[in-house]
Amino acid sequence: MNLTKYFQKSELIPAIIQEAQTGEVLMLAYMNEQSLSKTLESGYTWFWSRSRSELWNKGATSGNTQEVVEIYADCDYDTLLIKVKQKGAACHTGEKNCFFNKLGESNE
């Protein structure tokens, strides 16, 4: 599969990760062509870490893996929606998803 069309505008594209069974949005990460290719080959999510400048396989250390069910591209082919079977917590903090900081609450 030729993946270059997804990276015409940028070397990194956002990937929204969603629990396939419930529709819950778990996290947002970034992918480059190599991480998307590894995701397609392995059936598990791989991302590009912007802070560490390296590939990372979600759950390789923690065991909180994401098995890919389906991948969709948006209409411009520059954002992905990846539906997964999440094992354990999706967030590195141990939370189920990364979206637990509600704006307007004391945790800002």
Side-chain angles (χ1 to χ4, degrees):
M1 172 189 282
N2 184 353
L3 303 178
T4 57
K5 72 178 176 180
Y6 303 103
F7 301 94
Q8 296 294 316
K9 296 177 187 172
S10 176
E11 291 179 6
L12 293 177
I13 60 172
I16 302 162
I17 311 304
Q18 183 181 43
E19 174 60 55
Q21 188 173 28
T22 65
E24 179 180 9
V25 175
L26 301 173
M27 58 183 280
L28 177 130
Y30 290 87
M31 297 182 110
N32 62 11
E33 193 168 340
Q34 185 180 12
S35 64
L36 179 54
S37 178
K38 287 179 83 66
T39 296
L40 292 168
E41 289 170 13
S42 70
Y44 288 85
T45 55
W46 284 80
F47 303 110
W48 180 256
S49 171
R50 297 180 301 161
S51 60
R52 296 186 315 267
S53 296
E54 64 182 18
L55 287 173
W56 59 283
N57 175 220
K58 177 67 176 154
T61 304
S62 67
N64 297 333
T65 58
Q66 296 175 335
E67 182 180 356
V68 175
V69 175
E70 299 175 303
I71 302 177
Y72 294 89
D74 75 337
C75 56
D76 294 322
Y77 295 100
D78 61 3
T79 302
L80 299 175
L81 173 64
I82 304 178
K83 296 185 178 193
V84 302
K85 291 180 187 173
Q86 177 69 47
K87 178 182 174 189
C91 187
H92 72 281
T93 65
E95 294 288 332
K96 182 172 170 60
N97 69 61
C98 294
F99 299 99
F100 54 87
N101 293 307
K102 185 174 180 180
L103 273 62
E105 294 192 357
S106 61
N107 59 358
E108 287 185 20

